[in-house]
Amino acid sequence: MYVGRFLIVGPDCGAYRVSSRSFPNRRITEREDRLTVGPTKEAEETENPYISYNCVRSTGNGAVLGNGSHVDPIAEKIDLGYPARDALASSLLALDYEKDDYDTPRIAGVLDGEGAVIGIVRKDALLVERVEEPRLVATYEKDSPEEIDFSPETAEEAARTVYDHEFEHAVCAAGVVRKDDGFEWAIENGQD
């Protein structure tokens, strides 16, 4: 099944995967306090504004995961003191779904000092909820948060687990795990 981009967040872990039929030549790179999705050297040039973005950002006491430019304002609002739920809801609502040929939803998750929050904005709805157990949300087919079995012990395991998930067209993935002194993250770019 093809679900497009998807993410999982639980109280102490999270992961994000790029799945794509149209733009498979992408990878995730680390830059200071963020992980960024961008084209590889082999990628065809495009003016599509939705293929390059920060997919993970660290905040003062957490991490934000998502499939687009909304990751940055969510992280910035949290750093300004907004509660995670409010930062997520207001940013998703302000940026709305992507205005592409598929009306692609924006998905995001936040790991914070209280656990985790997950959200999606679709053409027909905005859904944001605090999670007690890991939940998955995707841009297509699974576009409402649903429970999933996900309990990685390391960020590498989180990234590898979502990269290897049965959903079709894996491109790259990132994993985030809460540790005593903050968060660790890892990248899985497949066959580099």
Side-chain angles (χ1 to χ4, degrees):
M1 175 189 313
Y2 180 67
V3 299
R5 273 72 58 219
F6 71 92
L7 63 83
I8 300 170
V9 293
D12 296 313
C13 58
Y16 171 71
R17 186 176 100 178
V18 176
S19 307
S20 181
R21 297 181 284 213
S22 305
F23 298 100
N25 294 323
R26 289 186 277 175
R27 63 188 322 264
I28 297 173
T29 56
E30 184 172 3
R31 299 177 343 163
E32 296 178 28
D33 65 344
R34 65 199 68 196
L35 301 179
T36 303
V37 173
T40 64
K41 294 176 189 172
E42 297 80 25
E44 293 181 28
E45 284 196 36
T46 181
E47 293 185 21
N48 185 319
Y50 301 118
I51 64 166
S52 296
Y53 52 89
N54 294 322
C55 65
V56 177
R57 283 258 322 248
S58 63
T59 66
N61 70 341
V64 179
L65 301 89
N67 71 321
S69 60
H70 54 286
V71 168
D72 294 329
I74 294 168
E76 291 161 7
K77 287 179 185 305
I78 290 170
D79 282 341
L80 289 171
Y82 282 61
R85 181 190 67 107
D86 295 353
L88 191 61
S90 63
S91 297
L92 289 176
L93 188 59
L95 289 168
D96 211 359
Y97 62 93
E98 295 178 359
K99 306 305 189 282
D100 60 6
D101 293 339
Y102 308 103
D103 295 331
T104 302
R106 291 181 191 266
I107 57 175
V110 176
L111 300 172
D112 66 5
E114 300 174 32
V117 179
I118 194 168
I120 182 171
V121 63
R122 310 183 308 234
K123 188 173 183 178
D124 66 338
L126 169 66
L127 307 172
V128 176
E129 60 187 57
R130 184 153 291 281
V131 301
E132 301 297 325
E133 299 293 328
R135 294 205 177 267
L136 174 142
V137 70
T139 55
Y140 311 116
E141 302 298 326
K142 297 191 173 280
D143 63 356
S144 292
E146 62 184 55
E147 288 187 29
I148 187 169
D149 183 25
F150 186 71
S151 55
E153 294 186 20
T154 66
E156 291 83 9
E157 182 183 353
R160 174 48 73 182
T161 298
V162 297
Y163 184 84
D164 289 340
H165 197 281
E166 65 184 348
F167 296 141
E168 297 173 348
H169 302 288
V171 174
C172 51
V176 179
V177 174
R178 186 185 312 273
K179 294 295 180 183
D180 292 336
D181 59 346
F183 292 86
E184 69 175 19
W185 59 38
I187 298 168
E188 176 55 60
N189 282 314
Q191 311 249 318
D192 274 341

